[in-house]
Amino acid sequence: MRHFLRMRDLTSGEMRRLFARAAELKRRRREGHLEDSLAGKTVVLVMEKASTRTRLSFAAAAFQLGGHAIELSASTSQLARGEALSDTARVISGYADAVVMRTTADARLEEFVRWSSVPVINGLTDGGHPVQVLTDLFTVEEAIGAVSGKRIAFVGDGSGNMSRSFLEAAPLFDFTLQLGSPPAFRPPPAEAQAAGRHLTVSGDPRAAVAGADVVVTDVWTSMGQEAEAAARLKAFQGFTVDGGLMAAARPGAIVLHCLPAHRGEEISEEVLEGPQSRVFEEAENRMHVQKALLEHVILGGAAETTEA
Ligand code: CP
Ligand code: NVA
């Protein structure tokens, strides 16, 4: 079964085919073609945290490929009343062709996967956001060409799900992740070690951004960390991606943010809305990339690019 729970669940060949298929599907939508590769297929979205982009982009992706998506939010389902994940996963497996799950601990996603007999896609956990990083790398390639050999600066919370998925992606896509974060907000040592020469770490955001082709940031307080918000706001002072910081990057560097953004905290209004920002293309690309991903997990190689 083809789950997508972390970046390394796709081989580099599969990533390449997926990006080609996503580009093809994006172009075909612009040209007005209708698709039916997922006709009759059902995608269930299990959402245990808030979401705007993930639920909408997966639902639109399934629909535009001729399939259907059903959302199950924790608060309005029996999950909130304590129904076992093992029971929920087996029940959903009887209805769905694939599941997208957004949850808290990675162990909870793993538990769901253990009982699921259909492919599961990680729609964000405390430990990673692989569908977002897959999309971010697609967006980089669209804007400035092959990601291999590029320098991607991640500024802010180095211990969060976004930076950890970027870290996992660095050796797989052969880019250098230049992490700029306060010492208390670094990735788990084993994950940093696994990235080897593909990671540099600095407590100085300017040093982290130096010479970068891409500058990425994310919220300082992720979902589930609300009680730490005041302490985090203090800890991350000086790590705002603003015009002054961008001056240290390569001229022409692009800026990514998975959204939602907190203007004036991790990113300034001028950068988010400025000419280097690819943030709204990035958000749109979630749908194109996830179409290719849904085809991959549900159909295998059957719907991969046939056009030159
Ligand atoms: N970037 C992202 O995953 O957004 P949502 O939380 O709105 O799904
Ligand atoms: N790190 C953020 C990402 C939101 C898409 C969070 O987990 O809240």
Side-chain angles (χ1 to χ4, degrees):
M1 213 173 352
R2 298 162 187 257
H3 300 298
F4 181 65
L5 307 177
R6 52 188 71 80
M7 301 306 295
R8 62 180 178 278
D9 286 346
L10 287 172
T11 65
S12 55
E14 287 168 338
M15 303 256 193
R16 284 292 132 213
R17 286 193 289 279
L18 196 134
F19 279 11
R21 178 64 176 157
E24 176 183 48
L25 287 165
K26 182 173 182 176
R27 178 178 54 73
R28 285 177 57 84
R29 176 166 162 78
R30 296 244 190 289
E31 292 169 357
H33 295 283
L34 298 180
E35 314 291 343
D36 62 359
S37 57
L38 295 189
K41 305 292 186 191
T42 300
V43 179
V44 170
L45 311 173
V46 180
M47 290 287 156
E48 297 199 293
K49 283 180 180 170
S51 169
T52 295
R53 279 144 291 272
T54 301
R55 46 199 277 233
L56 292 181
S57 58
F58 269 111
F63 179 75
Q64 291 174 20
L65 294 179
H68 186 67
I70 305 171
E71 188 185 329
L72 188 75
S73 77
S75 58
T76 59
S77 68
Q78 301 292 1
L79 282 166
R81 298 177 65 247
E83 182 167 7
L85 217 44
S86 54
D87 294 350
T88 307
R90 282 177 286 179
V91 169
I92 292 175
S93 295
Y95 310 142
D97 297 283
V99 175
V100 177
M101 186 178 194
R102 167 168 286 197
T103 189
T104 51
D106 290 77
R108 196 164 160 81
L109 177 69
E110 299 290 348
E111 168 73 359
F112 188 96
V113 168
R114 199 158 80 80
W115 293 99
S116 176
S117 53
V118 298
V120 179
I121 294 173
N122 179 351
L124 181 146
T125 57
D126 292 342
H129 198 0
V131 285
Q132 181 70 58
V133 171
L134 201 57
T135 301
D136 290 3
L137 297 174
F138 176 83
T139 306
V140 168
E141 297 215 334
E142 215 177 36
I144 57 172
V147 84
S148 170
K150 293 279 190 302
R151 297 161 73 169
I152 301 184
F154 188 101
V155 180
D157 185 4
S159 64
N161 42 22
M162 281 299 297
S163 66
R164 289 173 63 185
S165 287
F166 264 108
L167 184 59
E168 192 195 353
L172 301 174
F173 281 83
D174 187 33
F175 62 86
T176 302
L177 186 70
Q178 303 183 168
L179 179 64
S181 65
F185 298 92
R186 300 271 164 84
E191 293 174 27
Q193 209 168 6
R197 65 181 175 82
H198 295 276
L199 173 69
T200 66
V201 182
S202 172
D204 173 4
R206 214 160 286 272
V209 160
D213 304 287
V214 181
V215 177
V216 190
T217 189
D218 182 24
V219 292
W220 291 340
T221 300
S222 283
M223 290 181 277
Q225 300 171 335
E226 289 77 8
E228 301 168 23
R232 284 173 167 265
L233 193 60
K234 206 167 144 197
F236 288 111
Q237 285 312 305
F239 285 81
T240 303
V241 175
D242 57 16
L245 191 64
M246 285 306 297
R250 275 177 68 138
I254 64 164
V255 175
L256 299 178
H257 188 312
C258 67
L259 303 177
H262 294 78
R263 289 167 166 82
E265 291 189 18
E266 76 277 1
I267 191 164
S268 69
E269 171 84 8
E270 67 168 335
V271 169
L272 186 65
E273 300 290 353
Q276 289 171 284
S277 172
R278 291 291 180 281
V279 165
F280 293 99
E281 292 90 331
E282 179 187 4
E284 181 191 319
N285 283 340
R286 288 288 301 274
M287 181 181 75
H288 304 301
V289 169
Q290 289 162 192
K291 281 180 179 172
L293 183 62
L294 285 172
E295 288 184 343
H296 171 76
V297 300
I298 296 173
L299 306 173
E304 278 162 7
T305 313
T306 48
E307 298 182 1

